[in-house]
Short mmCIF file of all heavy atoms in Angstrom, two decimals:
data_model
loop_
_atom_site.label_atom_id
_atom_site.label_comp_id
_atom_site.label_asym_id
_atom_site.label_seq_id
_atom_site.Cartn_x
_atom_site.Cartn_y
_atom_site.Cartn_z
N GLY A 149 -7.77 -20.09 20.51
CA GLY A 149 -8.14 -20.81 21.73
C GLY A 149 -7.08 -20.65 22.79
O GLY A 149 -7.04 -19.67 23.50
N ASP A 151 -6.97 -22.02 25.47
CA ASP A 151 -7.70 -21.96 26.73
C ASP A 151 -8.09 -20.53 27.10
O ASP A 151 -8.28 -20.23 28.26
CB ASP A 151 -6.93 -22.62 27.86
CG ASP A 151 -7.87 -23.09 28.97
OD1 ASP A 151 -9.07 -23.24 28.73
OD2 ASP A 151 -7.38 -23.27 30.07
N LEU A 152 -8.18 -19.66 26.11
CA LEU A 152 -8.55 -18.27 26.37
C LEU A 152 -9.91 -17.92 25.79
O LEU A 152 -10.28 -16.77 25.77
CB LEU A 152 -7.49 -17.33 25.78
CG LEU A 152 -6.12 -17.45 26.38
CD1 LEU A 152 -5.14 -16.57 25.61
CD2 LEU A 152 -6.12 -17.07 27.84
N ASN A 153 -10.65 -18.93 25.29
CA ASN A 153 -11.96 -18.62 24.73
C ASN A 153 -13.05 -19.20 25.59
O ASN A 153 -12.81 -19.99 26.50
CB ASN A 153 -12.07 -19.13 23.29
CG ASN A 153 -12.14 -20.64 23.22
OD1 ASN A 153 -11.95 -21.35 24.20
ND2 ASN A 153 -12.39 -21.14 22.03
N TYR A 154 -14.28 -18.81 25.30
CA TYR A 154 -15.41 -19.33 26.05
C TYR A 154 -16.44 -19.88 25.10
O TYR A 154 -16.76 -19.26 24.09
CB TYR A 154 -16.08 -18.25 26.90
CG TYR A 154 -17.34 -18.77 27.52
CD1 TYR A 154 -17.29 -19.62 28.61
CD2 TYR A 154 -18.57 -18.49 26.96
CE1 TYR A 154 -18.44 -20.13 29.15
CE2 TYR A 154 -19.73 -19.00 27.50
CZ TYR A 154 -19.66 -19.83 28.59
OH TYR A 154 -20.79 -20.36 29.12
N SER A 155 -16.95 -21.05 25.39
CA SER A 155 -18.04 -21.65 24.67
C SER A 155 -18.82 -22.49 25.66
O SER A 155 -18.24 -23.13 26.53
CB SER A 155 -17.51 -22.51 23.52
OG SER A 155 -18.57 -23.21 22.92
N GLY A 156 -20.14 -22.54 25.52
CA GLY A 156 -20.97 -23.26 26.47
C GLY A 156 -20.80 -24.76 26.44
O GLY A 156 -21.14 -25.45 27.38
N SER A 157 -20.22 -25.33 25.34
CA SER A 157 -20.13 -26.77 25.24
C SER A 157 -18.72 -27.31 25.36
O SER A 157 -18.50 -28.50 25.19
CB SER A 157 -20.71 -27.22 23.89
OG SER A 157 -19.87 -26.77 22.85
N GLU A 158 -17.74 -26.47 25.62
CA GLU A 158 -16.35 -26.91 25.58
C GLU A 158 -15.58 -26.48 26.82
O GLU A 158 -15.90 -25.48 27.43
CB GLU A 158 -15.67 -26.33 24.34
CG GLU A 158 -16.36 -26.71 23.06
CD GLU A 158 -15.97 -25.79 21.92
OE1 GLU A 158 -15.27 -24.79 22.16
OE2 GLU A 158 -16.39 -26.06 20.80
N ASP A 159 -14.56 -27.26 27.16
CA ASP A 159 -13.66 -26.90 28.25
C ASP A 159 -12.43 -26.19 27.69
O ASP A 159 -12.17 -25.05 27.95
CB ASP A 159 -13.21 -28.14 29.01
CG ASP A 159 -14.30 -28.69 29.90
OD1 ASP A 159 -15.17 -27.90 30.29
OD2 ASP A 159 -14.28 -29.89 30.18
N LEU A 160 -11.64 -26.92 26.92
CA LEU A 160 -10.40 -26.41 26.34
C LEU A 160 -10.51 -26.48 24.84
O LEU A 160 -10.96 -27.49 24.30
CB LEU A 160 -9.21 -27.27 26.81
CG LEU A 160 -7.89 -27.06 26.06
CD1 LEU A 160 -7.34 -25.67 26.36
CD2 LEU A 160 -6.89 -28.11 26.46
N LYS A 161 -10.09 -25.46 24.17
CA LYS A 161 -10.13 -25.45 22.72
C LYS A 161 -8.78 -24.97 22.20
O LYS A 161 -8.27 -23.96 22.67
CB LYS A 161 -11.24 -24.54 22.22
CG LYS A 161 -11.33 -24.49 20.73
CD LYS A 161 -12.50 -23.65 20.30
CE LYS A 161 -12.59 -23.62 18.81
NZ LYS A 161 -13.70 -22.80 18.35
N ASN A 187 -11.35 -29.85 20.57
CA ASN A 187 -12.20 -29.37 21.66
C ASN A 187 -12.16 -30.31 22.85
O ASN A 187 -11.90 -31.49 22.72
CB ASN A 187 -13.64 -29.24 21.17
CG ASN A 187 -13.76 -28.32 19.99
OD1 ASN A 187 -13.05 -27.33 19.91
ND2 ASN A 187 -14.61 -28.64 19.06
N GLY A 188 -12.48 -29.78 24.01
CA GLY A 188 -12.49 -30.58 25.23
C GLY A 188 -13.62 -31.59 25.26
O GLY A 188 -13.40 -32.79 25.21
N LYS A 189 -14.86 -31.13 25.34
CA LYS A 189 -16.02 -32.02 25.42
C LYS A 189 -16.54 -32.42 24.04
O LYS A 189 -16.97 -33.53 23.83
CB LYS A 189 -17.15 -31.33 26.17
CG LYS A 189 -16.89 -31.09 27.61
CD LYS A 189 -18.08 -30.38 28.22
CE LYS A 189 -17.83 -29.98 29.66
NZ LYS A 189 -18.93 -29.17 30.19
N ALA A 190 -16.55 -31.47 23.12
CA ALA A 190 -17.11 -31.70 21.79
C ALA A 190 -16.10 -32.42 20.90
O ALA A 190 -14.90 -32.41 21.17
CB ALA A 190 -17.50 -30.36 21.18
N PHE A 224 -22.62 -33.51 12.84
CA PHE A 224 -22.62 -32.09 13.20
C PHE A 224 -22.09 -31.26 12.05
O PHE A 224 -20.92 -31.38 11.66
CB PHE A 224 -21.77 -31.83 14.45
CG PHE A 224 -21.77 -30.39 14.86
CD1 PHE A 224 -22.81 -29.87 15.61
CD2 PHE A 224 -20.74 -29.54 14.49
CE1 PHE A 224 -22.83 -28.53 15.98
CE2 PHE A 224 -20.75 -28.21 14.85
CZ PHE A 224 -21.80 -27.71 15.60
N GLN A 228 -21.30 -20.83 10.52
CA GLN A 228 -21.11 -19.85 11.58
C GLN A 228 -20.56 -18.53 11.02
O GLN A 228 -19.42 -18.47 10.60
CB GLN A 228 -20.12 -20.37 12.62
CG GLN A 228 -20.56 -21.59 13.34
CD GLN A 228 -19.55 -22.07 14.36
OE1 GLN A 228 -18.40 -21.63 14.37
NE2 GLN A 228 -19.97 -22.98 15.20
N TYR A 250 -11.99 -12.54 18.32
CA TYR A 250 -13.00 -12.98 17.36
C TYR A 250 -14.24 -13.51 18.07
O TYR A 250 -14.20 -13.89 19.23
CB TYR A 250 -12.44 -14.05 16.43
CG TYR A 250 -12.13 -15.36 17.10
CD1 TYR A 250 -13.08 -16.37 17.18
CD2 TYR A 250 -10.89 -15.60 17.66
CE1 TYR A 250 -12.80 -17.57 17.82
CE2 TYR A 250 -10.59 -16.79 18.29
CZ TYR A 250 -11.56 -17.78 18.36
OH TYR A 250 -11.29 -18.96 18.99
N TYR A 251 -15.34 -13.50 17.32
CA TYR A 251 -16.58 -14.09 17.80
C TYR A 251 -17.24 -14.79 16.63
O TYR A 251 -17.41 -14.22 15.55
CB TYR A 251 -17.53 -13.00 18.34
CG TYR A 251 -18.86 -13.59 18.76
CD1 TYR A 251 -18.96 -14.33 19.93
CD2 TYR A 251 -20.00 -13.41 18.00
CE1 TYR A 251 -20.17 -14.88 20.32
CE2 TYR A 251 -21.21 -13.96 18.39
CZ TYR A 251 -21.29 -14.69 19.55
OH TYR A 251 -22.47 -15.25 19.92
N ASN A 252 -17.58 -16.07 16.82
CA ASN A 252 -18.30 -16.86 15.83
C ASN A 252 -19.66 -17.22 16.41
O ASN A 252 -19.74 -17.77 17.50
CB ASN A 252 -17.54 -18.13 15.47
CG ASN A 252 -16.24 -17.82 14.76
OD1 ASN A 252 -16.16 -16.87 14.01
ND2 ASN A 252 -15.23 -18.62 15.00
N SER A 254 -23.02 -19.41 16.39
CA SER A 254 -23.64 -20.65 15.96
C SER A 254 -25.14 -20.55 16.18
O SER A 254 -25.60 -19.94 17.14
CB SER A 254 -23.09 -21.83 16.77
OG SER A 254 -23.79 -23.00 16.42
N LYS A 256 -26.97 -23.42 16.25
CA LYS A 256 -27.36 -24.75 16.72
C LYS A 256 -27.42 -24.78 18.23
O LYS A 256 -26.65 -24.14 18.91
CB LYS A 256 -26.33 -25.78 16.26
CG LYS A 256 -26.30 -25.98 14.78
CD LYS A 256 -26.10 -27.43 14.49
CE LYS A 256 -26.10 -27.64 13.01
NZ LYS A 256 -27.13 -28.50 12.58
N SER A 257 -28.30 -25.58 18.77
CA SER A 257 -28.38 -25.92 20.19
C SER A 257 -28.31 -24.69 21.10
O SER A 257 -27.48 -24.63 22.00
CB SER A 257 -27.27 -26.91 20.54
OG SER A 257 -27.37 -27.31 21.88
N HIS A 258 -29.17 -23.74 20.86
CA HIS A 258 -29.24 -22.53 21.69
C HIS A 258 -27.89 -21.82 21.80
O HIS A 258 -27.52 -21.33 22.84
CB HIS A 258 -29.78 -22.85 23.09
CG HIS A 258 -31.09 -23.55 23.04
ND1 HIS A 258 -32.24 -22.92 22.62
CD2 HIS A 258 -31.44 -24.81 23.34
CE1 HIS A 258 -33.24 -23.78 22.68
NE2 HIS A 258 -32.78 -24.93 23.11
N SER A 259 -27.14 -21.84 20.74
CA SER A 259 -25.85 -21.14 20.63
C SER A 259 -24.79 -21.66 21.60
O SER A 259 -23.88 -20.93 21.98
CB SER A 259 -26.05 -19.63 20.82
OG SER A 259 -26.87 -19.14 19.81
N ASP A 260 -24.88 -22.92 22.04
CA ASP A 260 -23.81 -23.49 22.86
C ASP A 260 -22.50 -23.59 22.10
O ASP A 260 -21.45 -23.68 22.69
CB ASP A 260 -24.19 -24.88 23.37
CG ASP A 260 -25.16 -24.81 24.52
OD1 ASP A 260 -25.29 -23.72 25.12
OD2 ASP A 260 -25.79 -25.84 24.82
N TYR A 261 -22.56 -23.59 20.78
CA TYR A 261 -21.34 -23.73 19.98
C TYR A 261 -20.79 -22.39 19.50
O TYR A 261 -19.82 -22.35 18.78
CB TYR A 261 -21.59 -24.67 18.80
CG TYR A 261 -21.91 -26.07 19.26
CD1 TYR A 261 -23.22 -26.53 19.31
CD2 TYR A 261 -20.90 -26.91 19.68
CE1 TYR A 261 -23.51 -27.80 19.74
CE2 TYR A 261 -21.18 -28.19 20.13
CZ TYR A 261 -22.49 -28.63 20.16
OH TYR A 261 -22.76 -29.88 20.60
N SER A 262 -21.43 -21.31 19.86
CA SER A 262 -20.87 -19.99 19.57
C SER A 262 -19.61 -19.82 20.41
O SER A 262 -19.53 -20.35 21.51
CB SER A 262 -21.86 -18.89 19.93
OG SER A 262 -23.01 -18.99 19.15
N ASN A 263 -18.64 -19.09 19.90
CA ASN A 263 -17.42 -18.92 20.70
C ASN A 263 -16.81 -17.55 20.51
O ASN A 263 -16.91 -16.92 19.48
CB ASN A 263 -16.41 -20.04 20.43
CG ASN A 263 -16.07 -20.20 18.99
OD1 ASN A 263 -15.73 -19.24 18.33
ND2 ASN A 263 -16.15 -21.42 18.48
N LEU A 264 -16.18 -17.13 21.58
CA LEU A 264 -15.45 -15.87 21.66
C LEU A 264 -14.03 -16.24 22.05
O LEU A 264 -13.83 -17.04 22.95
CB LEU A 264 -16.08 -14.99 22.74
CG LEU A 264 -15.36 -13.70 23.12
CD1 LEU A 264 -15.42 -12.72 21.96
CD2 LEU A 264 -16.00 -13.09 24.35
N GLY A 265 -13.06 -15.70 21.35
CA GLY A 265 -11.70 -16.10 21.67
C GLY A 265 -10.65 -15.13 21.17
O GLY A 265 -10.95 -14.09 20.58
#
Side-chain angles (χ1 to χ4, degrees):
D151 204 19
L152 297 174
N153 70 352
Y154 173 77
S155 173
S157 68
E158 302 161 353
D159 285 335
L160 167 68
K161 180 176 181 181
N187 303 324
K189 293 179 185 174
F224 181 82
Q228 297 180 347
Y250 67 91
Y251 177 74
N252 294 326
S254 175
K256 293 219 179 241
S257 184
H258 305 292
S259 298
D260 282 343
Y261 296 100
S262 297
N263 54 51
L264 172 68

